[in-house]
Amino acid sequence: MSTRTLISPAVLARPRGRALYWSVFTAVVLLFALAFLFPVYWMVTGAMKSPDEIARTPPTLVPAHWHLGGYTDAWELMQLPQHLWNTVVQAAGAWACQLVLCTAAAYALSKLRPAFGKLILGGILATLMVPAQALVVPKYLTVADLGLLNDPVAIWLPAVANAFNLYLLKRFFDQLPRDVLEAAEIDGAGKLRTLWSIVLPMSRPVLGVVSIFALVAVWQDFLWPLMVFSDTDKQPISVALVQLSQNIQLTVLIAAMVIASIPMVALFLVFQRHIIAGISAGSTKG
């Protein structure tokens, strides 16, 4: 939204109008930043307080004494390295399987145009209307019958078919220039070669968005890993934080939550440009 819709150029040209505009704009930005960042600050500093100070009423904004022992205790007492590695294995496998299957399915529905393609796509999108909780019992019975309990494959398989990400990829593929694909076909490239050499390099923004969605969904999931992994040593970090929180000081638990959130925050900061590019590409092309 341009400044012309908020304030007229004549008023903005005046010193008082320009000062008022930038004052309001700065105040709004600071309020939104405070609303988003204050919970993060509270969590990070809460792990550095003593157990007595964290339970004090009214709470303190700044720790009276900075204690870093909560982070070291959380790392050791709650076996965070092992559970973080379990989460990485589960998230990476689910991401790879989902990216391969959803990309292939979206490309087939978008460019290969199979028989009854629209009907198949409608059936896939219809699954978005089914509550996730209604699918928990059938999924559990399926992985139990296959003997996949306490196995990362039990996380990978249900994550493979993601209707939302498949539709997101198909919508992006629909907007790819047809003349580029036809030129590749004239040069003798087959369908698979076109997908690998033409479509995928042009689809990096949307692939980045889908990757973030896939990784975050597995990283923050709680109910399904809780049902699948009865072995504590194989549980991901989301389940382990709850299962191991008994007889653990609150400051140590908060520190463990901070450590568990670092990988996803770092992932977003590294790939934020690709995420924004993928969202903007979808909004301009869709």
Side-chain angles (χ1 to χ4, degrees):
M1 183 180 295
S2 64
T3 57
R4 293 179 182 274
T5 60
L6 298 176
I7 186 172
S8 65
V11 176
L12 189 60
R14 302 171 186 171
R16 178 180 298 180
R18 186 163 54 251
L20 178 62
Y21 172 79
W22 285 111
S23 298
V24 173
F25 179 79
T26 303
V28 171
V29 171
L30 290 177
L31 285 176
F32 272 94
L34 182 63
F36 282 100
L37 296 179
F38 182 76
V40 179
Y41 167 80
W42 188 263
M43 182 172 63
V44 173
T45 58
M48 300 182 183
K49 298 178 181 179
S50 63
D52 294 335
E53 185 178 2
I54 195 67
R56 184 182 304 173
T57 304
T60 57
L61 293 177
V62 180
H65 301 283
W66 298 82
H67 302 278
L68 296 178
Y71 290 99
T72 57
D73 292 342
W75 187 263
E76 297 174 359
L77 296 178
M78 303 191 72
Q79 303 176 353
L80 292 187
Q82 179 179 355
H83 295 295
L84 284 172
W85 175 249
N86 294 339
T87 311
V88 169
V89 172
Q90 296 167 20
W95 163 76
C97 295
Q98 184 177 139
L99 205 63
V100 171
L101 182 64
C102 288
T103 301
Y107 177 72
L109 292 173
S110 175
K111 299 304 180 184
L112 303 186
R113 302 188 182 280
F116 307 107
K118 293 184 178 180
L119 182 62
I120 295 173
L121 179 62
I124 293 173
L125 295 180
T127 61
L128 294 174
M129 308 302 168
V130 181
Q133 294 78 5
L135 301 176
V136 170
V137 174
K139 288 195 302 183
Y140 180 81
L141 294 177
T142 301
V143 298
D145 291 340
L146 295 176
L148 298 178
L149 296 179
N150 290 313
D151 194 312
V153 180
I155 302 293
W156 300 350
L157 291 182
V160 164
N162 188 293
F164 177 78
N165 286 342
L166 188 150
Y167 180 71
L168 190 65
L169 287 165
K170 180 187 178 300
R171 287 291 297 167
F172 190 91
F173 292 161
D174 288 341
Q175 305 303 323
L176 293 178
R178 178 169 293 275
D179 54 350
V180 176
L181 303 182
E182 292 176 351
E185 184 177 356
I186 293 175
D187 290 340
K191 301 298 183 182
L192 186 60
R193 179 69 176 180
T194 302
L195 172 63
W196 181 260
S197 301
I198 306 297
V199 176
L200 291 184
M202 297 176 64
S203 305
R204 289 178 181 175
V206 71
L207 291 176
V209 174
V210 170
S211 298
I212 293 295
F213 287 165
L215 291 173
V216 171
V218 176
W219 196 276
Q220 68 181 7
D221 193 13
F222 172 77
L223 179 59
W224 181 242
L226 177 65
M227 298 179 62
V228 170
F229 293 100
S230 58
D231 188 352
T232 306
D233 293 335
K234 297 182 179 180
Q235 290 175 346
I237 190 67
S238 59
V239 178
L241 289 178
V242 177
Q243 298 286 54
L244 300 177
S245 61
Q246 306 296 330
N247 302 322
I248 294 293
Q249 292 182 353
L250 182 58
T251 54
V252 177
L253 180 60
I254 295 176
M257 294 178 181
V258 174
I259 296 174
S261 63
I262 289 177
M264 287 295 100
V265 174
L267 185 68
F268 173 78
L269 293 177
V270 171
F271 294 101
Q272 61 176 330
R273 183 171 60 183
H274 299 281
I275 298 172
I276 296 174
I279 295 175
S280 62
S283 62
T284 56
K285 294 184 178 181

